[in-house]
Amino acid sequence: MLTTVRLDANNTDDLSRASELLRQGKLVAVPTETVYGLAANAEDVDAVKEIFAAKNRPSDHPLIVHIADKDRIQHWAENIPELAFQLAEKFWPGPMTLLLKKADNINSVVTGKLDTIALRVPDHPMLLRLLKQSNIGLAAPSANPYRQLSPTSADQVMDNMQGKIDAVLDGGDCQLGLESTIVDVVSNPIRILRSGPITANEIETFLGQPVITPATHTESVPGNVKAHYQPRAKLTLCDKEKLFIALSNDNPKIGYIVYSDDFDKDQSEHIRHLPSDKYAFAKLLYKTLYEFDKVDIDEIWIERPPQTDEWQAINDRLARASAATDA
Ligand code: AMP
Ligand code: MG
């Protein structure tokens, strides 16, 4: 078992230490604006294999590579369409991952043997400093065991990964709390492979061309397995009416997550109100599910969010988090 060191992202020496560890091929969990990532040098094949092992993730499920700025795209990808540069210019640093054709010199361990590569410039000042200082690209999937909840704080990473990784760089709570939008810019029309904080509408409006969001696709995308992002407690999506009835004969083994004003805070000890603004909701969603997992409840009932494009990413995660595990 490794001893997992906790480093402070705001401390210059700690940041240098994280950079050094990564350059030596070690695993360091890092903060991003989406969720915490489990990072390693993306061009160090052994280090990348360690990521798969630590997460218990199948080796054919590709990892996102985080880079310091858009000018480095060409090191990782080839035959890059003009539109990719436009998206990078507009949305990077930010929660958009671009799927491109992998450059020949990049080992395909990081891409799960695919000939495409997923790239992103994260919008987190400390991680950007780390990327520049270490001068390497970082393969960084979410820092959770396969299929479980993505962590949005260093404490949560510690709970999940202590003893399996060398360090966690604590940069506080993640600003967005939801994984990036993955856009396949190789296909025509371009496709969203995973919904995220940047919506299909925003991308369409910016590009002035259609963007499709297929319900299923054939690429090996772990976010695309039916049961994913799962808390320990069984999660059920409920309409408001059903929640009202349930709350009136409160079962202590059920936790409730709601966002409508109609619910009364004192109705149950296990009721949590999330904001009705989708960004504020997303920021607290995994954290709230995670907190429920730490107390003695068997089920979480959550008020079904609006079924709109705006809430697409949240609805996508909730559908997977509530899917039967053997699906
Ligand atoms: P996570 O591991 O939670 O950060 O999720 C990373 C996401 O990026 C997963 O859904 C991956 O399957 C997806 N991804 C990374 N690289 C590729 C690729 N080359 N093709 C398709 N999806 C990819
Ligand atoms: Mg993940």
Side-chain angles (χ1 to χ4, degrees):
M1 261 246 301
L2 292 168
T3 304
T4 305
V5 186
R6 195 178 180 116
L7 301 170
D8 176 0
N10 293 302
N11 176 303
T12 320
D13 290 343
D14 280 10
L15 206 65
S16 300
R17 176 102 186 270
S19 167
E20 202 42 49
L21 286 169
L22 289 163
R23 291 189 59 84
Q24 290 165 3
K26 311 276 186 187
L27 302 190
V28 180
V30 296
T32 83
E33 81 280 32
T34 59
V35 299
Y36 270 74
L38 180 48
N41 180 352
E43 288 183 271
D44 179 333
V45 169
D46 291 333
V48 171
K49 286 184 180 162
E50 293 291 333
I51 295 182
F52 287 103
K55 276 183 67 87
N56 201 13
R57 171 160 164 152
S59 62
D60 61 351
H61 286 192
L63 310 177
I64 295 174
V65 176
H66 295 70
I67 56 177
D69 61 67
K70 63 175 179 352
D71 298 339
R72 302 191 195 200
I73 295 185
Q74 275 111 325
H75 174 72
W76 301 91
E78 59 191 34
N79 298 343
I80 306 162
E82 176 52 31
L83 173 152
F85 291 109
Q86 289 170 14
L87 289 172
E89 178 74 36
K90 167 79 177 166
F91 294 104
W92 282 357
M96 176 181 286
T97 297
L98 296 178
L99 193 71
L100 293 157
K101 177 153 190 336
K102 182 181 79 62
D104 256 357
N105 58 305
I106 304 297
N107 191 297
S108 64
V109 167
V110 73
T111 66
K113 300 287 172 207
L114 295 172
D115 64 359
T116 49
I117 187 161
L119 295 177
R120 178 168 104 84
V121 177
D123 188 13
H124 191 289
M126 300 314 157
L127 179 54
L128 286 173
R129 271 181 70 180
L130 179 64
L131 283 165
K132 288 190 178 125
Q133 192 170 338
S134 62
N135 198 28
I136 52 182
L138 293 177
S142 53
N144 52 284
Y146 183 52
R147 289 198 162 175
Q148 294 179 17
L149 279 178
S150 302
T152 57
S153 70
D155 282 344
Q156 203 179 330
V157 174
M158 271 295 197
D159 283 353
N160 285 332
M161 290 289 165
Q162 197 156 21
K164 293 188 183 155
I165 62 176
D166 295 276
V168 52
L169 187 65
D170 186 350
D173 285 353
C174 299
Q175 276 308 311
L176 298 174
L178 205 62
E179 301 80 0
S180 62
T181 308
I182 302 181
V183 191
D184 173 4
V185 288
V186 178
S187 64
N188 188 7
I190 67 170
R191 306 181 299 165
I192 293 195
L193 298 187
R194 177 174 73 188
S195 321
I198 299 170
T199 66
N201 276 348
E202 280 174 84
I203 301 169
E204 275 190 348
T205 308
F206 170 68
L207 290 176
Q209 65 179 68
V211 176
I212 56 171
T213 309
T216 55
H217 45 80
T218 48
E219 278 76 1
S220 168
V221 180
N224 206 40
V225 292
K226 213 168 164 193
H228 201 86
Y229 312 108
Q230 301 229 329
R232 172 190 57 78
K234 180 175 179 293
L235 183 73
T236 307
L237 282 151
C238 297
D239 295 324
K240 224 191 284 186
E241 295 66 33
K242 187 171 171 193
L243 281 170
F244 276 126
I245 299 169
L247 279 160
S248 63
N249 37 52
D250 189 12
N251 176 339
K253 291 287 192 184
I254 302 181
Y256 304 93
I257 301 176
V258 299
Y259 64 89
S260 302
D261 289 339
D262 316 69
F263 292 95
D264 179 355
K265 282 197 181 52
D266 306 322
Q267 238 158 331
S268 162
E269 188 195 333
H270 289 315
I271 190 164
R272 300 284 178 276
H273 274 262
L274 294 188
S276 55
D277 167 75
K278 70 160 182 173
Y279 295 107
F281 182 103
K283 182 172 180 181
L284 293 173
L285 176 61
Y286 289 159
K287 190 186 171 102
T288 310
L289 292 173
Y290 188 70
E291 281 167 5
F292 271 141
D293 266 356
K294 298 192 95 172
V295 297
D296 183 26
I297 56 157
D298 299 332
E299 293 189 32
I300 303 168
W301 290 17
I302 184 162
E303 182 181 358
R304 193 187 306 280
Q307 302 299 298
T308 58
D309 174 73
E310 287 287 290
W311 287 76
Q312 160 87 26
I314 291 168
N315 284 318
D316 168 78
R317 303 306 187 275
L318 288 176
R320 296 178 205 280
S322 60
T325 336
D326 56 0

